[in-house]
Amino acid sequence: MALTRSPECGDGRVPPVRAEPMAREVFAALGGVVEIGAVRATGTWLLPDVSVGAFLEPRQDDLRRLLEGVRVVGRFSGEVMAIADELGYFADHDVPAASLLLWSEGIAGLPDPVQRLEEPELVRRMCRIGADLQLTRLLQALVTAALAAGAEPREGAAGIAMILRVACGLADAGRAGNTYADPGCARIASAEPGHTGITPADVHRMWRVAHLPAILHPASDAPDWGKAGYRAYDAAFERLLEAEGPGAVRPCV
């Protein structure tokens, strides 16, 4: 979405007319992360086994940290944050194959017959692709919201890095106990053969190549202050995240 400067509310919050669409983009990406995490947590890749409610029940602290982090980074009001409940991503619901197709943008293809979308191998592939896409979009949405709110890049990047750590843990949760909630925890090996999980550093690098070229191109209509802000956030993430991934597996202490 377009990044334009406009006055904040008197209490420092972003005006609702600008904040609501930004918040929706954040919550949609988080919704994809939660649904993909719930599918992966089954260990079976069978969609009838998926329960978003059961997945989130032991992870309420993580969810609260995520939403509080989003509120602070975007300077969102309580009214804007209530959109998360309205969208229903964090309530118990089924996860149909069509949702995974949406989160993965159809990159894995549409099989014939379409019922094959529920086959475990295709479900697993859509989850891998969807996790990459939605975590990268989450980072873009958070940086845009932080810039619109006027957050100082070093402070804003620290808050966003925390959100990314928790979100990466949710995207890979259940199968191997992966967690990034504690910055002292390095990547934990995944139980999925050939898959070691996505780290916040991975998300940063994907975001940089997927989003920044169009924003920072000389012909881009992004304002100069916005371009400078995205560059500052990129540099801050490099300092904060690159030391965290990938590396030797070690326990959290």
Side-chain angles (χ1 to χ4, degrees):
M1 64 184 303
L3 185 63
T4 58
R5 190 186 296 277
S6 65
E8 295 177 345
C9 297
D11 57 4
R13 291 178 288 112
V14 178
V17 68
R18 293 172 55 226
E20 289 183 11
M22 291 182 182
R24 286 181 182 276
E25 290 194 17
V26 172
F27 297 143
L30 281 175
V33 167
V34 165
E35 290 193 351
I36 288 166
V39 174
R40 284 178 156 174
T42 66
T44 67
W45 306 103
L46 298 174
L47 296 182
D49 293 345
V50 178
S51 170
V52 173
F55 173 71
L56 287 178
E57 184 176 0
R59 299 176 174 87
Q60 288 300 305
D61 287 345
D62 285 341
L63 185 58
R64 279 191 288 270
R65 290 182 67 205
L66 273 179
L67 295 179
E68 177 61 14
V70 169
R71 184 193 67 77
V72 172
V73 164
R75 296 184 184 174
F76 294 144
S77 67
E79 179 183 6
V80 170
M81 292 300 297
I83 294 172
D85 292 331
E86 296 171 10
L87 293 173
Y89 290 125
F90 311 126
D92 191 24
H93 62 278
D94 295 331
V95 180
S99 288
L100 298 180
L101 185 68
L102 172 68
W103 300 132
S104 62
E105 293 235 331
I107 290 174
L110 189 63
D112 184 17
V114 71
Q115 288 77 10
R116 288 187 53 218
L117 274 177
E118 296 191 4
E119 292 180 356
E121 184 57 37
L122 190 51
V123 167
R124 180 165 51 214
R125 188 156 185 245
M126 288 191 291
C127 282
R128 288 183 183 178
I129 296 168
D132 289 349
L133 275 169
Q134 298 312 314
L135 286 166
T136 304
R137 286 181 176 168
L138 173 63
L139 179 51
Q140 172 64 12
L142 288 168
V143 173
T144 300
L147 286 171
E152 191 275 326
R154 184 172 299 182
E155 178 183 357
I160 292 172
M162 182 279 292
I163 295 170
L164 276 187
R165 292 181 189 110
V166 179
C168 285
L170 287 177
D172 267 339
R175 297 173 303 106
N178 287 2
T179 177
Y180 301 96
D182 180 350
C185 300
R187 171 156 50 190
I188 300 172
S190 167
E192 183 181 339
H195 180 66
T196 53
I198 185 171
T199 70
D202 294 331
V203 178
H204 166 234
R205 288 191 294 272
M206 288 191 293
W207 167 76
R208 180 161 56 193
V209 299
H211 291 275
L212 290 194
I215 294 171
L216 301 179
H217 191 279
S220 166
D221 60 0
D224 288 343
W225 67 268
K227 291 179 179 180
Y230 281 110
R231 285 193 175 98
Y233 270 88
D234 176 44
F237 290 135
E238 190 160 307
R239 290 191 297 270
L240 282 168
L241 299 176
E242 291 306 312
E244 295 179 14
V249 175
R250 65 182 177 84
C252 303
V253 292

